[in-house]
Amino acid sequence: MYADHLVQPWYDRLLAELPDAQVLDPHTHVGDRDPSGVTASVEELLGAVDAARGRALVFPLSEPDGYRIANAAVLDAALRSEGRLSALVRVVPDEVDAVEGLLDAGARGLKLHLSSDDVDLADQRLEPVFAMADERRLPVVVHAGPEVDSIGRAVLDACERWPGARMVLAHCALSDLGRLHPHVTDVPHLFFDTSWWTPAHLLALFRLVPPGRVLGASDLPYSTPVNGLLSAGRCAWQAGLDPRQVASVLGGQATRLVDGLDPLELGPPPAREAREVGPFLEAASSNLLAALEAMQRGLDPEVPLTVARHACDVRPDDPDADVLASVLQLLDLYEEHHERLQRRNTFSPGWDLVSAAAVVARTPAAPLPDRA
């Protein structure tokens, strides 16, 4: 279903620089009833987590008939996963009465999806849930994707009222990063996850938010821990984070949050990117992002992929020749394998190879694997 085995050398090379990293992806789903048609099984998630040599937090995909059965099933799968998975309870106001029992049985946090579940952070019915999160020091993952109206004020109010809860805004807080980032130092338990597909948003997050507040994430089934954490790690490296900070992004800080420990303070955002992005890298990355937009709708990448390949054809003495060669290697893997890759979901097969190529092109400071 995914191309993790082909992307693996780039991911493994990144982890080789971080030998003590505790990999934990805090944003994955399972389920087969989401109205969008997107699905993920527990077996697929476990395979993806094993490829990343880490662990994951997991919660249900959208369930039209509610989450009582789905939350119980996810918790059961997590308890049987030999420590590889930890369950978050997907909360809707009408089912608040079920949350405490799930937490007592072993769930490790909460998920609020503001759009697909039509949840309002200020809904008074959620008060007992936030009180439990505050008392138990639980992570609360909040969907903050592009379709969400501004939630910045509600988020800050919740952080101030419930300081024990660890609020995690998903998807780089696309809905509110421009408004929220000046206030991050005022609310020490506000975090952001990187579950988004464009390097520009990840780099903006790393340049605006202290590194200890950023959690690398995949959003499986839309991506995988290998692909999502590769993107997060490479963008962190390019933004100017040091290896200890990158290791925190890839799971060190998330591990502390799940374990109920105080988060580590890891300094301010970096002042500048670690390496200039040359013109051919910009051309390759921007065209690959255009190709990805089509591939997310199940279409062929067409002309943007061809233009990106042309951008990789440079003289051997070009300062970015090594990075462009690595991009081209990923595109060659796409050409060789995409017709044989199977994907039940909406993305075109091989999306993750083109996504990795777009990220590599925009992150020349990060380490590269040896070419075969």
Side-chain angles (χ1 to χ4, degrees):
M1 182 174 174
Y2 301 106
D4 281 353
H5 61 296
L6 301 173
V7 178
Q8 199 84 41
W10 284 263
Y11 179 76
D12 289 347
R13 179 65 184 88
L14 188 70
L15 284 194
E17 298 289 331
L18 310 166
D20 299 321
Q22 296 176 289
V23 175
L24 174 61
D25 182 342
H27 192 138
T28 72
H29 316 74
V30 293
D32 61 6
R33 303 185 65 215
D34 194 299
S36 71
V38 174
T39 66
S41 69
V42 173
E43 292 73 22
E44 287 165 344
L45 173 58
L46 287 171
V49 167
D50 289 345
R53 304 198 300 281
R55 299 184 295 139
L57 304 186
V58 58
F59 39 88
L61 283 163
S62 181
E63 290 281 343
D65 298 326
Y67 295 97
R68 294 182 188 275
I69 294 174
N71 278 326
V74 167
L75 176 57
D76 180 65
L79 294 175
R80 292 186 288 104
S81 70
E82 299 179 337
R84 290 177 286 172
L85 305 178
S86 295
L88 300 187
V89 181
R90 187 156 174 166
V91 179
V92 290
D94 291 342
E95 298 177 5
V96 166
D97 61 296
V99 172
E100 186 171 15
L102 291 163
L103 294 175
D104 290 343
R108 305 298 292 275
L110 310 171
K111 167 65 187 290
L112 297 170
H113 202 299
L114 307 185
S115 56
S116 67
D117 294 332
D118 195 23
V119 172
D120 182 348
L121 286 179
D123 191 319
Q124 293 297 307
R125 292 172 294 174
L126 295 176
E127 294 267 319
V129 171
F130 281 116
M132 283 184 274
D134 180 58
E135 179 183 2
R136 302 185 188 213
R137 299 157 63 93
L138 299 176
V140 181
V141 178
V142 178
H143 177 79
E147 80 286 7
V148 174
D149 292 334
S150 175
I151 57 171
R153 186 65 260 167
V155 167
L156 293 175
D157 289 346
C159 288
E160 292 167 3
R161 187 173 180 194
W162 311 110
R166 278 73 168 124
M167 298 283 286
V168 181
L169 297 186
H171 313 303
C172 299
L174 289 171
S175 61
D176 281 285
L177 184 60
R179 298 181 183 89
L180 280 176
H181 77 86
H183 302 286
V184 170
T185 55
D186 302 329
V187 280
H189 296 131
L190 176 62
F191 301 85
F192 303 79
D193 87 28
T194 65
S195 57
W196 194 246
W197 58 283
T198 55
H201 287 96
L202 274 66
L203 286 160
L205 190 62
F206 287 120
R207 293 295 304 277
L208 295 170
V209 172
R213 306 294 193 89
V214 182
L215 313 178
S218 71
D219 200 19
L220 186 141
Y222 299 97
S223 183
T224 66
V226 164
N227 195 272
L229 297 183
L230 172 68
S231 297
R234 289 192 64 89
C235 287
W237 216 287
Q238 175 66 27
L241 274 63
D242 64 36
R244 180 170 178 252
Q245 294 167 334
V246 177
S248 169
V249 169
L250 295 189
Q253 193 75 293
T255 297
R256 296 184 67 86
L257 300 187
V258 173
D259 290 344
L261 302 175
D262 288 332
L264 293 178
E265 169 57 50
L266 296 173
R272 61 184 60 85
E273 291 191 21
R275 177 173 162 178
E276 182 180 358
V277 179
F280 292 110
L281 293 175
E282 290 279 17
S285 183
S286 61
N287 278 281
L288 290 171
L289 291 172
L292 286 171
E293 196 281 330
M295 294 179 77
Q296 285 179 302
R297 293 180 284 118
L299 303 177
D300 289 333
E302 296 184 340
V303 172
L305 188 63
T306 301
V307 175
R309 293 185 72 91
H310 287 319
C312 295
D313 185 14
V314 298
R315 293 163 49 100
D317 60 351
D318 188 279
D320 295 319
D322 57 336
V323 184
L324 290 164
S326 197
V327 172
L328 193 58
Q329 187 178 357
L330 284 159
L331 298 183
D332 287 344
L333 288 170
Y334 168 79
E335 296 292 350
E336 180 181 355
H337 293 279
H338 77 275
E339 291 183 353
R340 296 193 295 274
L341 292 170
Q342 300 296 317
R343 194 149 192 172
R344 294 197 308 271
N345 297 327
T346 56
F347 291 7
S348 297
W351 181 93
D352 33 5
L353 285 163
V354 178
S355 174
V359 170
V360 169
R362 185 56 185 81
T363 55
L368 296 170
D370 294 334
R371 278 188 281 166

